[in-house]
Amino acid sequence: MELLSIILSGVLTLISPLGLAIDSAAERSIRERISSAEALEVRLDNTPSYQLLGGKISKLRLAARGLYLTPDFRIDTLELETDPLDVDINRLQQQSEISLSQLLRQPLRGAMRLRITQADANQALRSPAVLEYLRQIGPNLTADSSEAAQRLAQRYQIINPKVEFLQDDRLRLEAEIEDRRENKTLKVILESGFTLVGGRQLQLVQPRIFYGDKQVPQRLLDRLAENLTNRLDIQKFETEGLKARVLQLHITEDGIEIVAWVRLAAPQQATAAR
């Protein structure tokens, strides 16, 4: 959602009664909203061209390589293509702080292809934002809300995370669990394959977890896999009016590639569609 907002807001701000947006201007506007990009190409199609002044875009196409949303988060390849867009330009000009979905006269539909390399993923894992999230993950994952359970969860934290992409849609996650009371660390390795269910849920395939020189028993592993599968349902991350379906997911030693379809509608449109 944030990625779509960055791209589309960069394009929409160019639309004004004074003139028409052009591809190079759209590229410059998007670059102003990200950290950097090694290569970025934007194309706006409009027939007839004057429709752009009314907020209508026949098609938006974007191709990027080395796209840095932040200095620590690099996307190796991004390709985006939308169906026709229809935006309330008057509302955009009158209200500076308004969500993208509230500007839409009709739902926005599009498809994107995203590729992230192993180096990209590990750079993101080492970023301050991700490390802070990992420090909080223990208390957040604790099902028991008692004070004793929370103290136990806060005693441990995840440090030194690392990911390795494998063949056949598998990956390996390594990290250390730090016992802040005893000042000790324990290495943990999670290796698993992934498969898509219904375009929205990732299921673990033949997962294995090792801690130190031991392996997690299958009974506990099955319970953990079920819990993670529920958490990896992208429907839970959908905001009001946003729907997404993953059409393809491939993991190789070269990287992870995702092809997804998205639909964004104004809140009232999303309610009417239910």
Side-chain angles (χ1 to χ4, degrees):
M1 178 61 178
E2 182 178 355
L3 180 59
L4 274 176
S5 296
I6 290 172
I7 294 171
L8 294 175
S9 62
V11 172
L12 296 178
T13 52
L14 297 173
I15 304 174
S16 73
L18 300 178
L20 300 179
I22 58 175
D23 299 343
S24 58
E27 293 174 21
R28 289 195 300 270
S29 183
I30 292 173
R31 284 182 181 273
E32 291 174 356
R33 288 166 169 77
I34 61 176
S35 179
S36 64
E38 297 164 12
L40 177 63
E41 183 177 352
V42 181
R43 180 168 180 178
L44 301 174
D45 294 339
N46 280 282
T47 306
S49 59
Y50 65 78
Q51 287 190 349
L52 185 61
L53 292 176
K56 294 184 178 181
I57 300 175
S58 299
K59 182 180 293 187
L60 165 65
R61 286 178 284 185
L62 178 143
R65 181 171 178 82
L67 186 71
Y68 284 85
L69 298 183
T70 70
D72 298 311
F73 182 22
R74 179 184 185 271
I75 296 175
D76 180 76
T77 305
L78 173 65
E79 296 173 356
L80 171 68
E81 183 172 324
T82 72
D83 288 347
L85 289 86
D86 192 353
V87 179
D88 189 337
I89 295 301
N90 291 331
R91 195 173 185 185
L92 172 64
Q93 294 167 349
Q94 294 169 2
Q95 297 177 259
S96 58
E97 295 185 5
I98 186 171
S99 68
L100 177 62
S101 63
Q102 292 175 319
L103 294 172
L104 298 173
R105 294 195 184 104
Q106 66 180 31
L108 180 156
R109 297 178 179 87
M112 66 170 62
R113 183 175 77 91
L114 186 74
R115 182 176 182 274
I116 298 177
T117 67
Q118 181 173 301
D120 296 335
N122 281 310
Q123 181 177 348
L125 283 175
R126 293 189 295 268
S127 69
V130 171
L131 292 175
E132 177 59 28
Y133 172 78
L134 292 177
R135 278 191 282 269
Q136 301 296 328
I137 200 170
N140 292 335
L141 289 178
T142 303
D144 190 343
S145 60
S146 67
E147 184 177 347
Q150 289 296 308
R151 283 201 306 268
L152 183 64
Q154 292 172 1
R155 173 178 170 179
Y156 302 96
Q157 71 175 14
I158 301 173
I159 60 173
N160 300 327
K162 177 183 177 182
V163 64
E164 181 180 357
F165 294 148
L166 309 174
Q167 294 181 344
D168 302 322
D169 296 328
R170 295 184 67 84
L171 61 76
R172 180 184 294 118
L173 280 169
E174 298 182 13
E176 295 178 16
I177 306 298
E178 182 182 36
D179 183 338
R180 288 183 280 188
R181 179 185 301 174
E182 300 294 335
N183 196 26
K184 297 180 180 178
T185 59
L186 177 68
K187 187 175 182 179
V188 177
I189 299 175
L190 164 63
E191 181 180 319
S192 181
F194 294 88
T195 187
L196 275 172
V197 178
R200 63 177 180 81
Q201 190 175 56
L202 286 175
Q203 283 192 348
L204 276 64
V205 178
Q206 297 179 340
R208 298 183 299 169
I209 299 180
F210 300 90
Y211 59 102
D213 57 354
K214 300 179 181 179
Q215 184 172 356
V216 172
Q218 190 63 44
R219 178 177 58 84
L220 295 178
L221 191 58
D222 291 341
R223 184 183 303 175
L224 177 62
E226 181 180 359
N227 183 39
L228 285 176
T229 295
N230 292 333
R231 291 179 175 273
L232 294 175
D233 189 334
I234 63 175
Q235 189 171 14
K236 292 187 175 183
F237 300 99
E238 292 176 357
T239 59
E240 188 70 17
L242 175 66
K243 291 186 178 180
R245 293 294 178 267
V246 179
L247 306 179
Q248 296 179 26
L249 171 67
H250 293 303
I251 302 174
T252 67
E253 293 176 328
D254 294 329
I256 180 170
E257 183 171 308
I258 299 172
V259 177
W261 169 87
V262 295
R263 179 185 186 274
L264 179 63
Q268 63 272 21
Q269 296 169 342
T271 302
R274 292 174 182 171

